[in-house]
Amino acid sequence: MNLYQELRRRGVSSLGEVGAHLRLSPEQYERCRNELTDLGLIVPTNPAQHGARSELRAGLRDGDVNGDGSGGGDSGDGGDGGGGPQQDGDTVAVIDPEIALLRLLHREREQLREHLDEADRAYGTLETLAGAFLRAGSLTRSDADVELLSDYRRIQQVLEDITDVIQHSLSSMHPTSLVREVAERVLSRDRRQIENGVRVRAMYSERVISTPEVAELLRRRVETGVEVRITPAVPMTMIIADAQFAMVPVDPAEPMAGAVLARGPALVRSYIALYEHCWHTASPYGDGSTPEQGGDGLSEQQRAALTMLASGMKDEKIARGLGVSLRTVSRMLSELMQEMGATSRFEAGVRAHRLGWVD
């Protein structure tokens, strides 16, 4: 800029005089002074100091020049006996850009070192407070811990914390569909995990995939790289991370009752065994082997359950025939009854015959 170029031409000079010479407005003057000072291109100085040093170098010493270059003997007026210029904050010396850059880099390096030291101290404090909680790989085979979570916000925060420390795998199963806001959060989490090399798997109940929003979510998850499978029945919501953490509902029949967080392989391995069994009996989504629904919108499992119901079988026998839990059968038949508008199991069987849903 013009102000800096003029200062370089003059050397040590009054910043105000140069600004007036260039006809800078007060606002322009303040802005230029602050910018040059921040960049280290100018520094306040005392011309008398420079004059004294020149005299020292020339070997010209007298009683009016002190050894520290302040001038003026010991009179305390700071002068040189002849009314020379005083340090008033307006006189500056110009610094070469290369020198200013090196000083700036040094200052930034020192600040960065201070920030790193602060971060190291904070990390050490947090690590001490956290102990074994949420540190992947810190739990031994004999370690086990269980925490009951009843607040929804706490559950979401724990899920976020767990996903932040995952290194190898994230497995989940979902008996119900996800609302749109949660779905977007899941997709964002998927992308982050897969970019970090984490294997992400998810299972859904086949009864929810007929919903367009769920179908779109599964399509997008598959495109992201998630392994998705569909199964006739999902026993409960479950999330497993790195064989170290597992989150399941307190009561599978009441998902909003809270969640249980299990930590440590000694506990999590049982959930892993259940998950792997369901995974290997499920069908990959999107490869043509997904369970199909007929023109009536029923899955093969639903049709089989209605057929057995219409033949007079009890719920316990239907559950054994389908290889699912009694609770799953009860839920499935209740949903079908509601869809058909039936008020009893017998009426549901009769209506299924009339609708042509069963032979």
Side-chain angles (χ1 to χ4, degrees):
M1 60 180 64
N2 294 336
L3 179 60
Y4 178 71
Q5 295 296 339
E6 182 64 19
L7 286 170
R8 289 199 68 179
R9 187 183 68 81
R10 296 190 181 195
V12 177
S13 57
S14 168
L15 185 62
E17 291 180 1
V18 177
H21 173 74
L22 296 176
R23 298 182 179 178
L24 297 179
S25 66
E27 294 79 9
Q28 291 175 322
Y29 173 80
E30 286 295 326
R31 178 174 55 81
C32 292
R33 185 181 66 176
N34 292 337
E35 183 176 351
L36 292 176
T37 302
D38 292 341
L39 292 174
L41 292 173
I42 60 173
V43 293
T45 188
N46 183 358
Q49 185 177 19
H50 291 267
R53 288 177 178 173
S54 299
E55 292 175 356
L56 286 174
R57 285 195 298 268
L60 300 176
R61 300 175 180 270
D62 57 38
D64 292 331
V65 179
N66 295 327
D68 60 359
S70 61
D74 57 1
S75 63
D77 60 358
D80 59 359
Q86 308 298 310
Q87 182 175 1
D88 57 3
D90 185 51
T91 304
V92 297
V94 180
I95 307 300
D96 287 337
E98 295 84 356
I99 302 299
L101 177 60
L102 290 175
R103 289 177 176 174
L104 179 62
L105 292 176
H106 177 74
R107 184 169 65 249
E108 294 294 330
R109 185 167 56 247
E110 290 299 320
Q111 292 178 353
L112 178 59
R113 184 178 293 110
E114 292 178 2
H115 291 323
L116 290 176
D117 290 340
E118 292 177 1
D120 286 340
R121 289 192 295 270
Y123 179 83
T125 302
L126 292 174
E127 188 176 34
T128 301
L129 293 174
F133 184 72
L134 292 179
R135 283 190 294 162
S138 65
L139 296 170
T140 66
R141 297 182 63 86
S142 60
D143 287 333
D145 183 39
V146 175
E147 182 179 356
L148 181 63
L149 307 174
S150 57
D151 183 79
Y152 176 78
R153 291 170 297 181
R154 169 64 175 158
I155 293 174
Q156 293 301 315
Q157 184 59 55
V158 169
L159 286 175
E160 292 295 331
D161 292 341
I162 289 176
T163 54
D164 283 342
V165 299
I166 292 176
Q167 297 180 357
H168 306 293
S169 64
L170 175 63
S171 304
S172 61
M173 59 170 62
H174 310 276
T176 59
S177 59
L178 301 174
V179 297
R180 183 174 304 173
E181 292 78 10
V182 175
E184 291 301 324
R185 191 185 310 137
V186 168
L187 289 169
S188 175
R189 186 183 301 154
D190 287 341
R191 286 188 287 268
R192 185 171 70 251
Q193 296 300 332
I194 291 174
E195 288 174 358
N196 292 333
V198 175
R199 182 190 184 191
V200 182
R201 297 186 294 172
M203 275 188 289
Y204 291 87
S205 171
E206 65 181 24
R207 69 186 180 86
V208 304
I209 64 174
S210 59
T211 305
E213 288 186 356
V214 177
E216 175 64 13
L217 168 64
L218 299 191
R219 182 189 66 79
R220 294 175 65 185
R221 296 198 75 182
V222 170
E223 289 181 350
T224 303
V226 178
E227 301 173 44
V228 177
R229 290 195 178 187
I230 306 301
T231 183
V234 174
M236 69 182 77
T237 300
M238 182 184 298
I239 298 174
I240 302 175
D242 276 350
Q244 293 283 341
F245 309 99
M247 182 176 287
V248 296
V250 173
D251 183 355
E254 296 291 339
M256 301 305 295
V260 174
L261 174 64
R263 290 189 289 265
L267 287 176
V268 177
R269 68 167 64 97
S270 298
Y271 294 111
I272 293 176
L274 173 60
Y275 188 90
E276 294 299 335
H277 171 76
C278 296
W279 179 261
H280 290 298
T281 57
S283 302
Y285 180 78
D287 65 352
S289 59
T290 303
E292 296 181 354
Q293 295 181 331
D296 51 21
L298 296 178
S299 67
E300 291 299 325
Q301 186 187 51
Q302 290 173 322
R303 187 176 291 104
L306 277 178
T307 300
M308 287 186 278
L309 176 67
S311 66
M313 287 187 183
K314 300 295 185 181
D315 289 2
E316 292 81 359
K317 192 171 183 179
I318 296 175
R320 289 196 299 271
L322 294 178
V324 298
S325 68
L326 179 60
R327 179 172 292 177
T328 298
V329 170
S330 298
R331 184 180 66 244
M332 183 191 310
L333 294 179
S334 296
E335 292 171 351
L336 290 172
M337 288 172 56
Q338 183 177 3
E339 185 175 347
M340 291 185 292
T343 57
S344 66
R345 304 295 174 91
F346 176 77
E347 184 182 359
V350 173
R351 292 200 176 193
H353 273 295
R354 290 177 179 176
L355 293 170
W357 289 4
V358 296
D359 297 332

